[in-house]
Amino acid sequence: MSKQPYYITTAIAYTSGKPHIGNSYEIVLADSIARFKRMEGYDVFFQTGTDEHGQKIELKAADANVTPKEFVDRIAGQIKDIWDLMNTSYDKFIRTTDDDHERQIQKIFKKLYDKGDIYKGTYEGMYCTPCESFFTPSQLVNGKCPDCGREVQPAKEEAYFLRLSKYADRLIEHINTHPEFIQPESRKNEMMNNFLLPGLQDLCVSRTSFKWGIPVDFDNRHVVYVWLDALSNYITGIGYDADGNHTEQFQKFWPADLHLIGKDIIRFHTIYWPIILMALEVKLPKQVFGHPWLLQGSAGDKMSKSRGNVLYADDLVKLFGVDAVRYFVLHEMPFENDGIISWELLVERINSDLANTLGNLVNRTISMSNKYFQGVVHDGNVTEPVDEELIALAKETPQKVIAKMDKLRVADAISEIFTLFKRCNKYIDETMPWVLAKEEEKKTRLETVLYNLTESICIGASLLHSFMPETAEKILKQLNAKARTMEELEQYGLYVSGTKVTDTPEILFARLDLKEVLEKVDASKEQQENGNGGTNPQTSGKDVVDTNKAADSTNKENMQAPSSDVIDIEAKPEITYEDFAKLQFQIGEIIACEEVKKSKKLLCSQVKIGSQVKQIVSGIKAHYTPEQMIGKKVMVVVNLKPATLAGMLSEGMLLCAEDAEGNLSLMVPEKPMPSGAEIQ
């Protein structure tokens, strides 16, 4: 019986520079999904690669005094090395400078031109070189690029355009009838409300102001614009041919089951790419998942070289090892909201989850087997009620993991596996093998306990393989066991009684000292600054928060009614009108809000006040959830001197009322008021 095909792709990495850990997260996430699908019995094809054309590359190559091809060859090599370092099991690494890809892009461009879906015109607008995108003035945010926040420049040039408007209604219908197409759902709402429903402008698909691109073969003044070139890799990489002579591989694997991308490029993948496919009369991919970002430090900054807060996968691997880094980025990234990475969190997770929960469990189990039975694990078949909960959880865990992975909730799937490991540790405390070992008549019971532990660890390690492959293999090798198939995971008790485990258990993860780790980070940073080392990891938590991060929400809540209780409080000293006039009060709209990690009281809100966005940290977590905060119009003291709370910058104060029982209520305007309105 043939396996069901499953085609998964990542966004192809742009070869303007070395990818940071946030970029590397995507390839690790895709790898974990691909590995799990293979475990489920699918015939998986996993494609990744590099996007190598564009003006930014041309400029960087000139600065480096090399040709663009020499420049992208070097960076593409770096990217591939990092993907390989992270033990990712991709089946193809495509480069957009590959000859077969370039030929197909020229044929695709000509095919769409001949159909009338591409036409020649003139583009005039504001151009962002890093994003290689044109924008109208109304699309800019504070006069800057809406995608990256950088400066834009006016530009005008002859260009070819793709008729997006021709296919907009058809795309809207597809999205409405295929709710799984864009995930998470919040991304779908953003695309519909911000782009599709207001109306699409035709897309610029060629350029004349630079030469580093695929030439339009019937008009050599033009090169194909980056998005038509880059997006088409998903079909050219598996054998699409614009003339209709598709390979068997294309016919087998298309449409793609999953395009895995960052949330910042979801517009290109869910609007431009589907319309390109519609124009080519090719089926649309089944699903596009826009994953959140991995932000750096306690302040949750987006990584950028200009901030000096970039972390790189290879630097982290040198400090912590491949699987520890894989575990962290997969486990700490929520399904929909951004995740945080910092040295403190890395050390905490490695010590608590990997060294204590997992490493200590495996070590204790093997050590006790060697101490009490010369390493031979027998099933004594002497059961007690305490066994039932562990065995039931071991049987249930595979289906729980499958259910989470079906919804791409990878972090939750890993948590299910570690719940089993934690239950194993609890089982050791409940059964107390060291006590059983003191009584000869309890020998068979002790055998049963150690067998149950070994069997449960084998199940957990088999499930862990998709996420931490090297660690899973090390565990199973020490237990002299093989990884289970999904069918085998439906049974409990497959570990062969009488099997001998390793004589000396290997320490999977050593406990780390944060001070020592930070000293190594500082030493690496100093080495880099002196020009003696590679890319350095930077220390975290010292950067000013980017208060202009875009956050979209249409969630508006009703204003809360004030309490009817009467409260007398102690009067403070009188102040003059001049003292009062120094305070500036305005209406702000909360556009984003999240809990402050390591704090039981604090919420961090991004508050839009007129054209500005201020970050305000407030001790109101016990009274409001982040979801309740988003969309509220609130009263703000805006000219307080910034302060740092729990390591996060706070640039103002939200006004609240407090009743006699300590309940807080945000002060909100009685009538609808615009953001920025002055309170007098």
Side-chain angles (χ1 to χ4, degrees):
M1 183 176 179
S2 61
K3 295 181 178 180
Q4 184 177 343
Y6 186 89
Y7 180 30
I8 178 174
T9 70
T10 68
I12 51 177
Y14 197 45
T15 49
S16 60
K18 182 179 177 180
H20 57 61
I21 187 61
N23 308 132
S24 305
Y25 159 71
E26 183 174 301
I27 188 73
V28 175
L29 177 65
D31 178 66
S32 69
I33 296 168
R35 287 178 182 271
F36 196 82
K37 285 296 180 182
R38 293 189 192 106
M39 186 177 177
E40 288 186 291
Y42 286 86
D43 183 1
V44 173
F45 192 82
F46 171 19
Q47 180 169 297
T48 187
T50 45
D51 173 11
E52 302 186 10
H53 294 122
Q55 185 177 23
K56 188 175 182 180
I57 301 294
E58 190 173 81
L59 294 172
K60 281 184 170 286
D63 289 342
N65 198 30
V66 296
T67 67
K69 186 63 166 64
E70 289 172 332
F71 185 86
V72 297
D73 283 348
R74 178 173 61 84
I75 301 299
Q78 281 187 344
I79 293 169
K80 191 173 186 298
D81 287 346
I82 291 175
W83 284 192
D84 292 340
L85 173 69
M86 296 309 297
N87 196 10
T88 59
S89 59
Y90 56 84
D91 295 288
K92 178 163 185 174
F93 189 97
I94 188 173
R95 297 179 58 183
T96 57
T97 52
D98 291 342
D99 290 342
D100 53 349
H101 172 80
E102 291 193 343
R103 283 194 301 271
Q104 286 301 325
I105 295 304
Q106 290 179 320
K107 291 166 69 172
I108 287 170
F109 196 99
K110 183 65 162 59
K111 181 174 183 175
L112 297 181
Y113 178 77
D114 290 343
K115 284 184 62 178
D117 286 335
I118 285 180
Y119 64 92
K120 184 185 282 190
T122 302
Y123 200 98
E124 184 172 8
M126 306 305 292
Y127 184 68
C128 176
T129 299
C131 293
E132 305 210 12
S133 295
F134 277 103
F135 299 98
T136 63
S138 63
Q139 291 174 318
L140 302 178
V141 177
N142 296 325
K144 297 182 179 181
C145 173
D147 288 339
C148 72
R150 294 182 175 92
E151 298 291 339
V152 294
Q153 303 296 330
K156 180 179 181 180
E157 64 179 276
E158 179 184 272
Y160 285 91
F161 293 84
L162 176 67
R163 297 186 192 277
L164 297 184
S165 53
K166 176 179 176 181
Y167 296 94
D169 289 344
R170 181 175 162 189
L171 178 56
I172 290 171
E173 180 184 4
H174 181 83
I175 293 172
N176 286 333
T177 56
H178 295 78
E180 75 288 351
F181 177 58
I182 305 176
Q183 289 295 318
E185 188 175 359
S186 59
R187 314 271 190 256
K188 179 190 76 173
N189 296 335
E190 179 186 352
M191 293 303 103
M192 291 289 282
N193 296 330
N194 293 358
F195 297 100
L196 280 165
L197 295 179
L200 292 176
Q201 293 183 334
D202 290 347
L203 177 67
C204 175
V205 290
S206 80
R207 299 292 305 280
T208 60
S209 57
F210 60 90
K211 293 299 182 184
W212 181 239
I214 301 172
V216 175
D217 54 1
F218 59 87
D219 190 346
N220 59 17
R221 290 184 60 248
H222 291 256
V223 294
V224 179
Y225 189 38
V226 63
W227 286 108
L228 182 63
D229 169 15
L231 291 166
S232 297
N233 91 89
Y234 301 129
I235 55 176
T236 64
I238 56 170
Y240 169 83
D241 179 65
D243 295 331
N245 301 314
H246 312 309
T247 64
E248 290 184 8
Q249 186 182 56
F250 177 79
Q251 294 170 350
K252 176 180 180 179
F253 285 106
W254 192 263
D257 293 271
L258 178 63
H259 287 329
L260 189 67
I261 61 166
K263 65 179 183 178
D264 52 325
I265 54 173
I266 196 149
R267 169 163 51 100
F268 307 102
H269 285 77
T270 59
I271 296 178
Y272 303 158
W273 178 227
I275 287 178
I276 291 170
L277 292 171
M278 288 176 179
L280 291 172
E281 299 178 7
V282 174
K283 291 181 180 179
L284 303 194
K286 297 175 186 177
Q287 189 170 80
V288 179
F289 180 80
H291 64 75
W293 286 338
L294 188 62
L295 303 177
Q296 205 268 5
S298 58
D301 285 338
K302 185 178 178 182
M303 293 184 206
S304 71
K305 290 183 180 179
S306 62
R307 289 196 182 101
N309 68 344
V310 179
L311 302 178
Y312 294 98
D314 51 350
D315 291 319
L316 294 173
V317 167
K318 289 175 186 175
L319 287 170
F320 306 115
V322 172
D323 273 9
V325 177
R326 283 179 64 108
Y327 174 79
F328 184 89
V329 297
L330 291 173
H331 184 265
E332 291 301 301
M333 183 68 82
F335 176 71
E336 191 165 355
N337 299 318
D338 295 332
I340 299 291
I341 184 170
S342 70
W343 302 114
E344 293 80 4
L345 284 173
L346 273 160
V347 170
E348 179 184 329
R349 276 282 174 251
I350 290 170
N351 286 344
S352 63
D353 296 357
L354 301 184
N356 285 357
T357 298
L358 177 57
N360 194 39
L361 168 65
V362 175
N363 190 287
R364 292 170 77 190
T365 301
I366 293 174
S367 296
M368 287 189 292
S369 296
N370 279 298
K371 182 176 182 179
Y372 302 133
F373 300 108
Q374 293 75 51
V376 179
V377 179
H378 286 284
D379 184 358
N381 288 310
V382 179
T383 61
E384 292 185 3
V386 70
D387 303 342
E388 295 174 1
E389 186 177 336
L390 174 63
I391 294 172
L393 182 61
K395 289 179 177 179
E396 295 166 0
T397 298
Q399 288 305 315
K400 290 181 177 180
V401 173
I402 290 171
K404 299 298 185 184
M405 291 299 290
D406 284 346
K407 296 179 180 179
L408 303 181
R409 292 186 173 271
V410 176
D412 295 338
I414 296 174
S415 293
E416 294 289 356
I417 300 169
F418 272 76
T419 296
L420 175 59
F421 292 143
K422 290 174 182 176
R423 187 64 189 82
C424 288
N425 280 311
K426 183 181 177 183
Y427 181 74
I428 292 175
D429 295 336
E430 292 169 336
T431 56
M432 296 185 290
W434 52 90
V435 174
L436 295 174
K438 294 178 180 179
E439 301 180 43
E440 182 63 27
E441 61 270 22
K442 296 292 182 68
K443 179 179 179 180
T444 51
R445 174 58 187 158
L446 177 57
E447 287 179 330
T448 303
V449 167
L450 293 176
Y451 180 87
N452 287 340
L453 285 169
T454 304
E455 171 69 358
S456 298
I457 292 170
C458 283
I459 291 172
S462 297
L463 291 168
L464 191 65
H465 192 277
S466 298
F467 315 103
M468 302 172 67
E470 289 183 357
T471 299
E473 289 163 9
K474 285 180 180 179
I475 294 170
L476 292 169
K477 182 179 180 180
Q478 291 185 75
L479 297 177
N480 197 11
K482 64 180 183 67
R484 308 280 173 89
T485 65
M486 277 299 180
E487 291 77 14
E488 290 171 336
L489 285 170
E490 295 175 358
Q491 306 171 59
Y492 188 88
L494 293 184
Y495 188 80
V496 178
S497 181
T499 300
K500 188 178 185 307
V501 300
T502 187
D503 293 330
T504 306
E506 177 184 354
I507 296 176
L508 297 174
F509 298 96
R511 285 187 58 83
L512 300 173
D513 181 88
L514 177 60
K515 182 180 178 182
E516 291 179 1
V517 169
L518 293 178
E519 287 174 352
K520 290 179 181 179
V521 171
D522 290 338
S524 177
K525 180 180 179 182
E526 183 178 354
Q527 186 180 43
Q528 170 65 18
E529 290 173 348
N530 292 334
N532 297 322
T535 307
N536 66 292
Q538 302 285 330
T539 54
S540 64
K542 299 179 181 178
D543 301 307
V544 176
V545 177
D546 178 8
T547 59
N548 293 314
K549 287 187 290 184
D552 297 306
S553 175
T554 55
N555 176 29
K556 307 296 181 184
E557 299 191 19
N558 294 327
M559 295 182 291
Q560 298 193 8
S563 170
S564 59
D565 296 332
V566 175
I567 300 175
D568 292 319
I569 63 173
E570 183 178 349
K572 295 181 179 180
E574 289 184 346
I575 62 172
T576 66
Y577 178 82
E578 287 74 20
D579 291 330
F580 178 80
K582 293 178 182 178
L583 294 172
Q584 183 177 350
F585 301 86
Q586 288 178 265
I587 298 296
E589 181 180 3
I590 299 176
I591 60 174
C593 183
E594 60 184 3
E595 296 182 354
V596 175
K597 291 194 175 184
K598 298 186 179 180
S599 172
K600 297 180 180 180
K601 298 180 180 181
L602 300 178
L603 293 180
C604 179
S605 302
Q606 304 297 326
V607 186
K608 183 179 180 182
I609 305 165
S611 61
Q612 289 186 315
V613 177
K614 285 182 175 286
Q615 176 167 286
I616 299 178
V617 179
S618 310
I620 56 176
K621 186 190 289 188
H623 309 278
Y624 292 90
T625 66
E627 293 76 17
Q628 289 173 327
M629 295 286 287
I630 295 174
K632 284 187 178 296
K633 293 285 185 67
V634 293
M635 299 182 184
V636 186
V637 182
V638 300
N639 64 332
L640 284 180
K641 183 178 180 180
T644 300
L645 302 176
M648 303 193 75
L649 187 71
S650 184
E651 301 173 294
M653 179 181 292
L654 306 184
L655 297 184
C656 295
E658 182 178 16
D659 65 16
E661 297 176 359
N663 297 309
L664 296 182
S665 175
L666 286 165
M667 293 291 93
V668 298
E670 178 187 4
K671 298 178 181 179
M673 297 294 292
S675 168
E678 185 177 4
I679 301 172
Q680 301 184 6

